[in-house]
Amino acid sequence: MKPLFCSMTLTALLAAADPAAIEKGRAEEKRVCVACHGLRIIHIQRLNRGQWDREITKMVGWGTVVKEREALLEYLVASYGDDKPAAPLARSQDGTQKP
Ligand code: HEC
């Protein structure tokens, strides 16, 4: 029983996102991801880890220079993972949805 409990605890710890890495990733996003578009196009996504990884690769392919890739990935998965509730729709003042 005990070894099983220990390995489960370890797994939980490994899976838990590191707050320092998340903050580093948030800073990296602010620094490099705003050169071509706003943050909203990123923040409305709900992707799993593999999808976020491919998304970063896609942006790098278009010339984005990412220095803190691991931290950025941690931040994106922790904040905009596919386990998070859908992003609220953007609405104009009169309540009609923005394009
Ligand atoms: C070199 C310019 C450029 C930079 C810098 C850039 N992007 Fe993009 N990004 C684009 C373009 C162009 C699109 C629209 C592509 C389309 O319409 O499919 C886009 C779209 C997106 C989308 C919407 C989904 C998609 O693939 O179309 C996400 C998410 C995204 N970018 C994430 C990021 C992240 C995260 C970063 C920072 C690591 C970043 N982008 C930096 C050019 C860039």
Side-chain angles (χ1 to χ4, degrees):
M1 225 30 216
K2 202 171 185 233
L4 178 65
F5 172 76
C6 286
S7 74
M8 281 169 67
T9 310
L10 185 63
T11 309
L13 281 174
L14 287 175
D18 170 11
I22 290 175
E23 281 318 303
K24 199 189 261 189
R26 192 191 308 277
E28 183 72 349
E29 180 197 50
K30 265 196 204 151
R31 196 176 68 80
V32 300
C33 302
V34 293
C36 305
H37 51 69
L39 293 178
R40 182 167 160 79
I41 195 173
I42 302 172
H43 296 179
I44 58 174
Q45 311 291 329
R46 294 293 180 267
L47 307 178
N48 66 31
R49 182 172 291 269
Q51 290 168 325
W52 272 124
D53 198 48
R54 284 196 295 281
E55 197 60 50
I56 297 173
T57 300
K58 181 173 164 182
M59 299 305 142
V60 167
W62 284 336
T64 312
V65 182
V66 178
K67 286 191 187 146
E68 300 288 350
R69 184 168 179 142
E70 279 310 306
L72 178 63
L73 182 61
E74 286 311 314
Y75 156 73
L76 291 170
V77 171
S79 311
Y80 310 107
D82 61 356
D83 57 338
K84 301 289 180 285
L89 290 174
R91 298 207 177 260
S92 61
Q93 264 186 331
D94 65 358
T96 57
Q97 193 182 329
K98 285 179 189 164

